[in-house]
PDB file of all heavy atoms in Angstrom:
ATOM      1  N   ASP M 486     -10.270   3.280 -20.267  1.00 96.00           N
ATOM      2  CA  ASP M 486      -9.102   4.024 -19.832  1.00 96.00           C
ATOM      3  C   ASP M 486      -8.931   3.915 -18.327  1.00 96.00           C
ATOM      4  O   ASP M 486      -8.575   4.917 -17.669  1.00 96.00           O
ATOM      5  CB  ASP M 486      -9.171   5.479 -20.271  1.00 96.00           C
ATOM      6  CG  ASP M 486     -10.452   6.138 -19.774  1.00 96.00           C
ATOM      7  OD1 ASP M 486     -11.347   5.436 -19.212  1.00 96.00           O
ATOM      8  OD2 ASP M 486     -10.611   7.383 -19.960  1.00 96.00           O
ATOM      9  N   SER M 487      -9.122   2.747 -17.758  1.00 96.00           N
ATOM     10  CA  SER M 487      -8.949   2.596 -16.306  1.00 96.00           C
ATOM     11  C   SER M 487      -7.573   2.979 -15.915  1.00 96.00           C
ATOM     12  O   SER M 487      -6.552   2.564 -16.534  1.00 96.00           O
ATOM     13  CB  SER M 487      -9.188   1.156 -15.895  1.00 96.00           C
ATOM     14  OG  SER M 487      -8.737   0.904 -14.568  1.00 96.00           O
ATOM     15  N   PRO M 488      -7.402   3.787 -14.841  1.00 95.00           N
ATOM     16  CA  PRO M 488      -6.067   4.124 -14.369  1.00 95.00           C
ATOM     17  C   PRO M 488      -5.324   2.941 -13.783  1.00 95.00           C
ATOM     18  O   PRO M 488      -4.108   2.999 -13.620  1.00 95.00           O
ATOM     19  CB  PRO M 488      -6.331   5.213 -13.312  1.00 95.00           C
ATOM     20  CG  PRO M 488      -7.782   5.029 -12.888  1.00 95.00           C
ATOM     21  CD  PRO M 488      -8.465   4.504 -14.101  1.00 95.00           C
ATOM     22  N   LYS M 489      -6.036   1.901 -13.482  1.00 92.00           N
ATOM     23  CA  LYS M 489      -5.440   0.616 -13.033  1.00 92.00           C
ATOM     24  C   LYS M 489      -5.656  -0.384 -14.129  1.00 92.00           C
ATOM     25  O   LYS M 489      -6.727  -0.486 -14.726  1.00 92.00           O
ATOM     26  CB  LYS M 489      -6.098   0.117 -11.767  1.00 92.00           C
ATOM     27  CG  LYS M 489      -5.735   0.921 -10.507  1.00 92.00           C
ATOM     28  CD  LYS M 489      -6.445   0.276  -9.307  1.00 92.00           C
ATOM     29  CE  LYS M 489      -5.990  -1.151  -9.041  1.00 92.00           C
ATOM     30  NZ  LYS M 489      -6.632  -1.733  -7.869  1.00 92.00           N
ATOM     31  N   PRO M 490      -4.625  -1.217 -14.469  1.00 94.00           N
ATOM     32  CA  PRO M 490      -4.812  -2.235 -15.484  1.00 94.00           C
ATOM     33  C   PRO M 490      -5.703  -3.338 -14.959  1.00 94.00           C
ATOM     34  O   PRO M 490      -5.743  -3.568 -13.723  1.00 94.00           O
ATOM     35  CB  PRO M 490      -3.379  -2.737 -15.733  1.00 94.00           C
ATOM     36  CG  PRO M 490      -2.604  -2.415 -14.482  1.00 94.00           C
ATOM     37  CD  PRO M 490      -3.230  -1.157 -13.969  1.00 94.00           C
ATOM     38  N   PRO M 491      -6.420  -4.027 -15.815  1.00 96.00           N
ATOM     39  CA  PRO M 491      -6.490  -3.778 -17.254  1.00 96.00           C
ATOM     40  C   PRO M 491      -7.387  -2.566 -17.568  1.00 96.00           C
ATOM     41  O   PRO M 491      -8.272  -2.254 -16.778  1.00 96.00           O
ATOM     42  CB  PRO M 491      -7.112  -5.084 -17.791  1.00 96.00           C
ATOM     43  CG  PRO M 491      -7.945  -5.615 -16.641  1.00 96.00           C
ATOM     44  CD  PRO M 491      -7.173  -5.245 -15.385  1.00 96.00           C
ATOM     45  N   PRO M 492      -7.204  -1.946 -18.705  1.00 97.00           N
ATOM     46  CA  PRO M 492      -7.882  -0.663 -18.976  1.00 97.00           C
ATOM     47  C   PRO M 492      -9.387  -0.778 -19.298  1.00 97.00           C
ATOM     48  O   PRO M 492     -10.142   0.146 -19.000  1.00 97.00           O
ATOM     49  CB  PRO M 492      -7.124  -0.117 -20.162  1.00 97.00           C
ATOM     50  CG  PRO M 492      -6.540  -1.322 -20.868  1.00 97.00           C
ATOM     51  CD  PRO M 492      -6.185  -2.266 -19.767  1.00 97.00           C
ATOM     52  N   GLU M 493      -9.812  -1.930 -19.863  1.00 98.00           N
ATOM     53  CA  GLU M 493     -11.215  -2.050 -20.256  1.00 98.00           C
ATOM     54  C   GLU M 493     -12.008  -2.764 -19.222  1.00 98.00           C
ATOM     55  O   GLU M 493     -11.662  -3.865 -18.786  1.00 98.00           O
ATOM     56  CB  GLU M 493     -11.279  -2.832 -21.573  1.00 98.00           C
ATOM     57  CG  GLU M 493     -10.629  -2.111 -22.745  1.00 98.00           C
ATOM     58  CD  GLU M 493     -11.041  -2.623 -24.100  1.00 98.00           C
ATOM     59  OE1 GLU M 493     -11.674  -3.705 -24.156  1.00 98.00           O
ATOM     60  OE2 GLU M 493     -10.744  -1.982 -25.125  1.00 98.00           O
ATOM     61  N   ARG M 494     -13.103  -2.137 -18.817  1.00 98.00           N
ATOM     62  CA  ARG M 494     -13.914  -2.651 -17.722  1.00 98.00           C
ATOM     63  C   ARG M 494     -15.402  -2.298 -17.951  1.00 98.00           C
ATOM     64  O   ARG M 494     -15.661  -1.372 -18.652  1.00 98.00           O
ATOM     65  CB  ARG M 494     -13.473  -2.070 -16.377  1.00 98.00           C
ATOM     66  CG  ARG M 494     -12.038  -2.374 -15.968  1.00 98.00           C
ATOM     67  CD  ARG M 494     -11.562  -1.465 -14.896  1.00 98.00           C
ATOM     68  NE  ARG M 494     -10.195  -1.796 -14.493  1.00 98.00           N
ATOM     69  CZ  ARG M 494      -9.825  -2.165 -13.252  1.00 98.00           C
ATOM     70  NH1 ARG M 494     -10.720  -2.193 -12.300  1.00 98.00           N
ATOM     71  NH2 ARG M 494      -8.592  -2.417 -12.998  1.00 98.00           N
ATOM     72  N   ILE M 495     -16.267  -3.046 -17.298  1.00 98.00           N
ATOM     73  CA  ILE M 495     -17.642  -2.658 -17.203  1.00 98.00           C
ATOM     74  C   ILE M 495     -17.942  -2.417 -15.717  1.00 98.00           C
ATOM     75  O   ILE M 495     -17.265  -3.004 -14.843  1.00 98.00           O
ATOM     76  CB  ILE M 495     -18.635  -3.688 -17.776  1.00 98.00           C
ATOM     77  CG1 ILE M 495     -18.645  -4.993 -16.969  1.00 98.00           C
ATOM     78  CG2 ILE M 495     -18.320  -3.993 -19.235  1.00 98.00           C
ATOM     79  CD1 ILE M 495     -19.829  -5.190 -16.080  1.00 98.00           C
ATOM     80  N   THR M 496     -18.934  -1.557 -15.398  1.00 98.00           N
ATOM     81  CA  THR M 496     -19.217  -1.271 -14.038  1.00 98.00           C
ATOM     82  C   THR M 496     -20.638  -0.837 -13.861  1.00 98.00           C
ATOM     83  O   THR M 496     -21.263  -0.242 -14.756  1.00 98.00           O
ATOM     84  CB  THR M 496     -18.273  -0.099 -13.515  1.00 98.00           C
ATOM     85  OG1 THR M 496     -18.543   0.135 -12.149  1.00 98.00           O
ATOM     86  CG2 THR M 496     -18.461   1.163 -14.319  1.00 98.00           C
ATOM     87  N   PHE M 497     -21.251  -1.173 -12.703  1.00 98.00           N
ATOM     88  CA  PHE M 497     -22.539  -0.609 -12.338  1.00 98.00           C
ATOM     89  C   PHE M 497     -22.333   0.906 -12.210  1.00 98.00           C
ATOM     90  O   PHE M 497     -21.261   1.389 -11.797  1.00 98.00           O
ATOM     91  CB  PHE M 497     -22.994  -1.155 -10.999  1.00 98.00           C
ATOM     92  CG  PHE M 497     -23.582  -2.527 -10.976  1.00 98.00           C
ATOM     93  CD1 PHE M 497     -23.602  -3.299 -12.156  1.00 98.00           C
ATOM     94  CD2 PHE M 497     -24.068  -3.061  -9.827  1.00 98.00           C
ATOM     95  CE1 PHE M 497     -24.156  -4.577 -12.146  1.00 98.00           C
ATOM     96  CE2 PHE M 497     -24.603  -4.356  -9.774  1.00 98.00           C
ATOM     97  CZ  PHE M 497     -24.653  -5.062 -10.952  1.00 98.00           C
ATOM     98  N   THR M 498     -23.381   1.639 -12.507  1.00 98.00           N
ATOM     99  CA  THR M 498     -23.351   3.098 -12.341  1.00 98.00           C
ATOM    100  C   THR M 498     -23.806   3.459 -10.915  1.00 98.00           C
ATOM    101  O   THR M 498     -24.369   2.624 -10.235  1.00 98.00           O
ATOM    102  CB  THR M 498     -24.249   3.764 -13.399  1.00 98.00           C
ATOM    103  OG1 THR M 498     -25.590   3.228 -13.256  1.00 98.00           O
ATOM    104  CG2 THR M 498     -23.737   3.515 -14.790  1.00 98.00           C
ATOM    105  N   LEU M 499     -23.563   4.676 -10.547  1.00 98.00           N
ATOM    106  CA  LEU M 499     -23.932   5.138  -9.208  1.00 98.00           C
ATOM    107  C   LEU M 499     -25.418   5.002  -8.940  1.00 98.00           C
ATOM    108  O   LEU M 499     -25.799   4.561  -7.817  1.00 98.00           O
ATOM    109  CB  LEU M 499     -23.510   6.575  -8.970  1.00 98.00           C
ATOM    110  CG  LEU M 499     -21.988   6.750  -8.603  1.00 98.00           C
ATOM    111  CD1 LEU M 499     -21.626   8.193  -8.647  1.00 98.00           C
ATOM    112  CD2 LEU M 499     -21.712   6.150  -7.212  1.00 98.00           C
ATOM    113  N   PRO M 500     -26.307   5.300  -9.878  1.00 98.00           N
ATOM    114  CA  PRO M 500     -27.763   5.112  -9.549  1.00 98.00           C
ATOM    115  C   PRO M 500     -28.107   3.693  -9.228  1.00 98.00           C
ATOM    116  O   PRO M 500     -28.966   3.455  -8.351  1.00 98.00           O
ATOM    117  CB  PRO M 500     -28.456   5.568 -10.871  1.00 98.00           C
ATOM    118  CG  PRO M 500     -27.492   6.548 -11.468  1.00 98.00           C
ATOM    119  CD  PRO M 500     -26.153   5.993 -11.172  1.00 98.00           C
ATOM    120  N   VAL M 501     -27.466   2.683  -9.849  1.00 98.00           N
ATOM    121  CA  VAL M 501     -27.730   1.310  -9.509  1.00 98.00           C
ATOM    122  C   VAL M 501     -27.201   0.946  -8.159  1.00 98.00           C
ATOM    123  O   VAL M 501     -27.873   0.332  -7.344  1.00 98.00           O
ATOM    124  CB  VAL M 501     -27.126   0.367 -10.594  1.00 98.00           C
ATOM    125  CG1 VAL M 501     -27.173  -1.071 -10.190  1.00 98.00           C
ATOM    126  CG2 VAL M 501     -27.853   0.556 -11.937  1.00 98.00           C
ATOM    127  N   ILE M 502     -25.949   1.397  -7.874  1.00 98.00           N
ATOM    128  CA  ILE M 502     -25.370   1.086  -6.571  1.00 98.00           C
ATOM    129  C   ILE M 502     -26.207   1.734  -5.459  1.00 98.00           C
ATOM    130  O   ILE M 502     -26.531   1.078  -4.444  1.00 98.00           O
ATOM    131  CB  ILE M 502     -23.927   1.647  -6.483  1.00 98.00           C
ATOM    132  CG1 ILE M 502     -23.036   0.808  -7.413  1.00 98.00           C
ATOM    133  CG2 ILE M 502     -23.394   1.580  -5.054  1.00 98.00           C
ATOM    134  CD1 ILE M 502     -21.613   1.367  -7.643  1.00 98.00           C
ATOM    135  N   ASN M 503     -26.679   2.943  -5.681  1.00 98.00           N
ATOM    136  CA  ASN M 503     -27.447   3.620  -4.661  1.00 98.00           C
ATOM    137  C   ASN M 503     -28.939   3.189  -4.580  1.00 98.00           C
ATOM    138  O   ASN M 503     -29.627   3.672  -3.706  1.00 98.00           O
ATOM    139  CB  ASN M 503     -27.311   5.159  -4.841  1.00 98.00           C
ATOM    140  CG  ASN M 503     -25.956   5.667  -4.432  1.00 98.00           C
ATOM    141  OD1 ASN M 503     -25.311   5.115  -3.550  1.00 98.00           O
ATOM    142  ND2 ASN M 503     -25.504   6.713  -5.106  1.00 98.00           N
ATOM    143  N   SER M 504     -29.351   2.341  -5.491  1.00 98.00           N
ATOM    144  CA  SER M 504     -30.710   1.815  -5.421  1.00 98.00           C
ATOM    145  C   SER M 504     -30.762   0.459  -4.709  1.00 98.00           C
ATOM    146  O   SER M 504     -31.850  -0.055  -4.469  1.00 98.00           O
ATOM    147  CB  SER M 504     -31.259   1.648  -6.853  1.00 98.00           C
ATOM    148  OG  SER M 504     -31.444   2.895  -7.467  1.00 98.00           O
ATOM    149  N   ALA M 505     -29.622  -0.068  -4.293  1.00 98.00           N
ATOM    150  CA  ALA M 505     -29.593  -1.381  -3.666  1.00 98.00           C
ATOM    151  C   ALA M 505     -30.300  -1.319  -2.297  1.00 98.00           C
ATOM    152  O   ALA M 505     -30.338  -0.309  -1.618  1.00 98.00           O
ATOM    153  CB  ALA M 505     -28.178  -1.860  -3.499  1.00 98.00           C
ATOM    154  N   SER M 506     -30.824  -2.463  -1.873  1.00 98.00           N
ATOM    155  CA  SER M 506     -31.399  -2.590  -0.526  1.00 98.00           C
ATOM    156  C   SER M 506     -30.286  -2.483   0.534  1.00 98.00           C
ATOM    157  O   SER M 506     -30.519  -1.930   1.621  1.00 98.00           O
ATOM    158  CB  SER M 506     -32.118  -3.913  -0.357  1.00 98.00           C
ATOM    159  OG  SER M 506     -33.264  -3.979  -1.163  1.00 98.00           O
ATOM    160  N   ASN M 507     -29.142  -3.055   0.214  1.00 98.00           N
ATOM    161  CA  ASN M 507     -27.997  -3.049   1.118  1.00 98.00           C
ATOM    162  C   ASN M 507     -26.703  -2.860   0.343  1.00 98.00           C
ATOM    163  O   ASN M 507     -26.526  -3.525  -0.705  1.00 98.00           O
ATOM    164  CB  ASN M 507     -27.943  -4.335   1.942  1.00 98.00           C
ATOM    165  CG  ASN M 507     -29.133  -4.556   2.787  1.00 98.00           C
ATOM    166  OD1 ASN M 507     -29.254  -4.027   3.890  1.00 98.00           O
ATOM    167  ND2 ASN M 507     -30.095  -5.351   2.280  1.00 98.00           N
ATOM    168  N   VAL M 508     -25.856  -1.986   0.816  1.00 98.00           N
ATOM    169  CA  VAL M 508     -24.507  -1.837   0.244  1.00 98.00           C
ATOM    170  C   VAL M 508     -23.500  -2.050   1.368  1.00 98.00           C
ATOM    171  O   VAL M 508     -23.627  -1.366   2.432  1.00 98.00           O
ATOM    172  CB  VAL M 508     -24.320  -0.463  -0.416  1.00 98.00           C
ATOM    173  CG1 VAL M 508     -22.870  -0.340  -0.950  1.00 98.00           C
ATOM    174  CG2 VAL M 508     -25.334  -0.235  -1.503  1.00 98.00           C
ATOM    175  N   ALA M 509     -22.554  -2.924   1.168  1.00 98.00           N
ATOM    176  CA  ALA M 509     -21.471  -3.110   2.139  1.00 98.00           C
ATOM    177  C   ALA M 509     -20.137  -2.795   1.507  1.00 98.00           C
ATOM    178  O   ALA M 509     -19.887  -3.298   0.419  1.00 98.00           O
ATOM    179  CB  ALA M 509     -21.503  -4.515   2.678  1.00 98.00           C
ATOM    180  N   VAL M 510     -19.371  -1.933   2.145  1.00 98.00           N
ATOM    181  CA  VAL M 510     -18.044  -1.624   1.657  1.00 98.00           C
ATOM    182  C   VAL M 510     -17.025  -2.241   2.654  1.00 98.00           C
ATOM    183  O   VAL M 510     -17.056  -1.955   3.854  1.00 98.00           O
ATOM    184  CB  VAL M 510     -17.822  -0.099   1.556  1.00 98.00           C
ATOM    185  CG1 VAL M 510     -16.484   0.194   0.872  1.00 98.00           C
ATOM    186  CG2 VAL M 510     -18.976   0.573   0.788  1.00 98.00           C
ATOM    187  N   VAL M 511     -16.150  -3.083   2.139  1.00 98.00           N
ATOM    188  CA  VAL M 511     -15.241  -3.859   2.966  1.00 98.00           C
ATOM    189  C   VAL M 511     -13.833  -3.260   2.752  1.00 98.00           C
ATOM    190  O   VAL M 511     -13.337  -3.294   1.617  1.00 98.00           O
ATOM    191  CB  VAL M 511     -15.254  -5.345   2.653  1.00 98.00           C
ATOM    192  CG1 VAL M 511     -14.400  -6.099   3.638  1.00 98.00           C
ATOM    193  CG2 VAL M 511     -16.714  -5.875   2.702  1.00 98.00           C
ATOM    194  N   VAL M 512     -13.191  -2.746   3.808  1.00 98.00           N
ATOM    195  CA  VAL M 512     -11.927  -2.066   3.659  1.00 98.00           C
ATOM    196  C   VAL M 512     -10.933  -2.510   4.720  1.00 98.00           C
ATOM    197  O   VAL M 512     -11.255  -2.480   5.929  1.00 98.00           O
ATOM    198  CB  VAL M 512     -12.094  -0.519   3.786  1.00 98.00           C
ATOM    199  CG1 VAL M 512     -10.865   0.244   3.352  1.00 98.00           C
ATOM    200  CG2 VAL M 512     -13.300  -0.019   3.003  1.00 98.00           C
ATOM    201  N   THR M 513      -9.773  -2.944   4.309  1.00 98.00           N
ATOM    202  CA  THR M 513      -8.737  -3.380   5.237  1.00 98.00           C
ATOM    203  C   THR M 513      -7.390  -2.811   4.841  1.00 98.00           C
ATOM    204  O   THR M 513      -7.112  -2.509   3.689  1.00 98.00           O
ATOM    205  CB  THR M 513      -8.626  -4.933   5.253  1.00 98.00           C
ATOM    206  OG1 THR M 513      -8.220  -5.401   3.948  1.00 98.00           O
ATOM    207  CG2 THR M 513      -9.943  -5.575   5.618  1.00 98.00           C
ATOM    208  N   GLY M 514      -6.599  -2.574   5.850  1.00 97.00           N
ATOM    209  CA  GLY M 514      -5.222  -2.203   5.620  1.00 97.00           C
ATOM    210  C   GLY M 514      -4.953  -0.735   5.754  1.00 97.00           C
ATOM    211  O   GLY M 514      -5.803   0.111   5.417  1.00 97.00           O
ATOM    212  N   GLU M 515      -3.788  -0.350   6.239  1.00 97.00           N
ATOM    213  CA  GLU M 515      -3.425   1.033   6.497  1.00 97.00           C
ATOM    214  C   GLU M 515      -3.379   1.822   5.202  1.00 97.00           C
ATOM    215  O   GLU M 515      -3.583   3.029   5.162  1.00 97.00           O
ATOM    216  CB  GLU M 515      -2.062   1.074   7.173  1.00 97.00           C
ATOM    217  CG  GLU M 515      -1.659   2.452   7.705  1.00 97.00           C
ATOM    218  CD  GLU M 515      -0.400   2.436   8.503  1.00 97.00           C
ATOM    219  OE1 GLU M 515       0.181   1.347   8.677  1.00 97.00           O
ATOM    220  OE2 GLU M 515       0.053   3.509   8.941  1.00 97.00           O
ATOM    221  N   GLY M 516      -3.079   1.137   4.064  1.00 97.00           N
ATOM    222  CA  GLY M 516      -3.004   1.789   2.757  1.00 97.00           C
ATOM    223  C   GLY M 516      -4.330   2.380   2.315  1.00 97.00           C
ATOM    224  O   GLY M 516      -4.337   3.227   1.383  1.00 97.00           O
ATOM    225  N   LYS M 517      -5.407   1.989   2.934  1.00 97.00           N
ATOM    226  CA  LYS M 517      -6.737   2.532   2.561  1.00 97.00           C
ATOM    227  C   LYS M 517      -7.243   3.590   3.535  1.00 97.00           C
ATOM    228  O   LYS M 517      -8.322   4.113   3.374  1.00 97.00           O
ATOM    229  CB  LYS M 517      -7.743   1.349   2.485  1.00 97.00           C
ATOM    230  CG  LYS M 517      -7.380   0.203   1.601  1.00 97.00           C
ATOM    231  CD  LYS M 517      -7.376   0.571   0.110  1.00 97.00           C
ATOM    232  CE  LYS M 517      -6.972  -0.589  -0.768  1.00 97.00           C
ATOM    233  NZ  LYS M 517      -7.992  -1.662  -0.821  1.00 97.00           N
ATOM    234  N   ALA M 518      -6.460   3.867   4.595  1.00 97.00           N
ATOM    235  CA  ALA M 518      -6.950   4.752   5.649  1.00 97.00           C
ATOM    236  C   ALA M 518      -7.251   6.146   5.203  1.00 97.00           C
ATOM    237  O   ALA M 518      -8.260   6.703   5.573  1.00 97.00           O
ATOM    238  CB  ALA M 518      -5.892   4.767   6.782  1.00 97.00           C
ATOM    239  N   ASP M 519      -6.384   6.713   4.321  1.00 94.00           N
ATOM    240  CA  ASP M 519      -6.653   8.076   3.799  1.00 94.00           C
ATOM    241  C   ASP M 519      -7.946   8.131   2.992  1.00 94.00           C
ATOM    242  O   ASP M 519      -8.750   9.044   3.169  1.00 94.00           O
ATOM    243  CB  ASP M 519      -5.490   8.584   3.010  1.00 94.00           C
ATOM    244  CG  ASP M 519      -4.288   8.959   3.885  1.00 94.00           C
ATOM    245  OD1 ASP M 519      -4.492   9.471   4.992  1.00 94.00           O
ATOM    246  OD2 ASP M 519      -3.122   8.772   3.418  1.00 94.00           O
ATOM    247  N   ALA M 520      -8.081   7.162   2.104  1.00 96.00           N
ATOM    248  CA  ALA M 520      -9.300   7.133   1.260  1.00 96.00           C
ATOM    249  C   ALA M 520     -10.522   6.935   2.109  1.00 96.00           C
ATOM    250  O   ALA M 520     -11.571   7.548   1.851  1.00 96.00           O
ATOM    251  CB  ALA M 520      -9.169   6.006   0.215  1.00 96.00           C
ATOM    252  N   LEU M 521     -10.481   6.110   3.120  1.00 96.00           N
ATOM    253  CA  LEU M 521     -11.613   5.893   3.993  1.00 96.00           C
ATOM    254  C   LEU M 521     -11.987   7.155   4.754  1.00 96.00           C
ATOM    255  O   LEU M 521     -13.175   7.469   4.881  1.00 96.00           O
ATOM    256  CB  LEU M 521     -11.311   4.738   4.982  1.00 96.00           C
ATOM    257  CG  LEU M 521     -12.531   4.267   5.804  1.00 96.00           C
ATOM    258  CD1 LEU M 521     -13.535   3.567   4.911  1.00 96.00           C
ATOM    259  CD2 LEU M 521     -12.079   3.392   6.933  1.00 96.00           C
ATOM    260  N   HIS M 522     -10.977   7.858   5.199  1.00 94.00           N
ATOM    261  CA  HIS M 522     -11.220   9.136   5.877  1.00 94.00           C
ATOM    262  C   HIS M 522     -11.955  10.114   4.974  1.00 94.00           C
ATOM    263  O   HIS M 522     -12.961  10.727   5.392  1.00 94.00           O
ATOM    264  CB  HIS M 522      -9.845   9.718   6.332  1.00 94.00           C
ATOM    265  CG  HIS M 522      -9.895  11.163   6.725  1.00 94.00           C
ATOM    266  ND1 HIS M 522     -10.644  11.590   7.797  1.00 94.00           N
ATOM    267  CD2 HIS M 522      -9.267  12.251   6.271  1.00 94.00           C
ATOM    268  CE1 HIS M 522     -10.493  12.892   7.946  1.00 94.00           C
ATOM    269  NE2 HIS M 522      -9.641  13.328   7.018  1.00 94.00           N
ATOM    270  N   LEU M 523     -11.522  10.204   3.694  1.00 92.00           N
ATOM    271  CA  LEU M 523     -12.172  11.101   2.754  1.00 92.00           C
ATOM    272  C   LEU M 523     -13.579  10.611   2.421  1.00 92.00           C
ATOM    273  O   LEU M 523     -14.490  11.391   2.155  1.00 92.00           O
ATOM    274  CB  LEU M 523     -11.383  11.198   1.470  1.00 92.00           C
ATOM    275  CG  LEU M 523     -10.063  11.917   1.573  1.00 92.00           C
ATOM    276  CD1 LEU M 523      -9.247  11.831   0.260  1.00 92.00           C
ATOM    277  CD2 LEU M 523     -10.239  13.399   1.949  1.00 92.00           C
ATOM    278  N   ALA M 524     -13.777   9.299   2.449  1.00 94.00           N
ATOM    279  CA  ALA M 524     -15.085   8.731   2.087  1.00 94.00           C
ATOM    280  C   ALA M 524     -16.151   8.912   3.194  1.00 94.00           C
ATOM    281  O   ALA M 524     -17.333   8.980   2.874  1.00 94.00           O
ATOM    282  CB  ALA M 524     -14.942   7.266   1.763  1.00 94.00           C
ATOM    283  N   ILE M 525     -15.707   8.985   4.429  1.00 93.00           N
ATOM    284  CA  ILE M 525     -16.671   8.942   5.522  1.00 93.00           C
ATOM    285  C   ILE M 525     -16.810  10.244   6.274  1.00 93.00           C
ATOM    286  O   ILE M 525     -17.927  10.635   6.608  1.00 93.00           O
ATOM    287  CB  ILE M 525     -16.275   7.812   6.486  1.00 93.00           C
ATOM    288  CG1 ILE M 525     -16.546   6.430   5.874  1.00 93.00           C
ATOM    289  CG2 ILE M 525     -17.034   7.932   7.817  1.00 93.00           C
ATOM    290  CD1 ILE M 525     -16.166   5.259   6.729  1.00 93.00           C
ATOM    291  N   GLU M 526     -15.732  10.938   6.521  1.00 89.00           N
ATOM    292  CA  GLU M 526     -15.758  12.081   7.428  1.00 89.00           C
ATOM    293  C   GLU M 526     -15.916  13.407   6.654  1.00 89.00           C
ATOM    294  O   GLU M 526     -15.701  13.504   5.460  1.00 89.00           O
ATOM    295  CB  GLU M 526     -14.511  12.087   8.279  1.00 89.00           C
ATOM    296  CG  GLU M 526     -14.474  10.852   9.193  1.00 89.00           C
ATOM    297  CD  GLU M 526     -13.414  10.910  10.235  1.00 89.00           C
ATOM    298  OE1 GLU M 526     -12.264  11.320   9.920  1.00 89.00           O
ATOM    299  OE2 GLU M 526     -13.694  10.583  11.393  1.00 89.00           O
ATOM    300  N   GLU M 527     -16.337  14.400   7.434  1.00 74.00           N
ATOM    301  CA  GLU M 527     -16.473  15.729   6.893  1.00 74.00           C
ATOM    302  C   GLU M 527     -15.109  16.341   6.701  1.00 74.00           C
ATOM    303  O   GLU M 527     -14.441  16.744   7.644  1.00 74.00           O
ATOM    304  CB  GLU M 527     -17.277  16.612   7.849  1.00 74.00           C
ATOM    305  CG  GLU M 527     -18.756  16.160   8.032  1.00 74.00           C
ATOM    306  CD  GLU M 527     -19.521  16.263   6.749  1.00 74.00           C
ATOM    307  OE1 GLU M 527     -19.219  17.111   5.898  1.00 74.00           O
ATOM    308  OE2 GLU M 527     -20.514  15.507   6.565  1.00 74.00           O
ATOM    309  N   VAL M 528     -14.638  16.449   5.431  1.00 73.00           N
ATOM    310  CA  VAL M 528     -13.274  16.852   5.146  1.00 73.00           C
ATOM    311  C   VAL M 528     -13.205  18.046   4.160  1.00 73.00           C
ATOM    312  O   VAL M 528     -12.181  18.284   3.602  1.00 73.00           O
ATOM    313  CB  VAL M 528     -12.468  15.681   4.622  1.00 73.00           C
ATOM    314  CG1 VAL M 528     -12.262  14.651   5.729  1.00 73.00           C
ATOM    315  CG2 VAL M 528     -13.134  15.056   3.417  1.00 73.00           C
ATOM    316  N   GLY M 529     -14.319  18.717   3.975  1.00 70.00           N
ATOM    317  CA  GLY M 529     -14.275  19.862   3.084  1.00 70.00           C
ATOM    318  C   GLY M 529     -14.486  19.463   1.653  1.00 70.00           C
ATOM    319  O   GLY M 529     -14.914  18.328   1.329  1.00 70.00           O
TER     320      GLY M 529
END
């Protein structure tokens, strides 16, 4: 039931992502600025 098509997907779970030696998140464009702010800064 992915909110973005296509609906059926597989994904690593958070424990796997957070067990990695290195995680890099690559973000470009003004359309991602709000999400990045929520992801990084102290916003309540």
Side-chain angles (χ1 to χ4, degrees):
D486 56 353
S487 167
K489 287 181 62 178
E493 296 196 348
R494 299 163 178 240
I495 67 104
T496 182
F497 283 3
T498 57
L499 280 170
V501 170
I502 292 171
N503 286 329
S504 293
S506 293
N507 298 278
V508 179
V510 189
V511 186
V512 192
T513 62
E515 190 175 358
K517 307 291 180 70
D519 286 326
L521 188 70
H522 167 60
L523 291 174
I525 289 179
E526 296 190 316
E527 295 296 332
V528 291

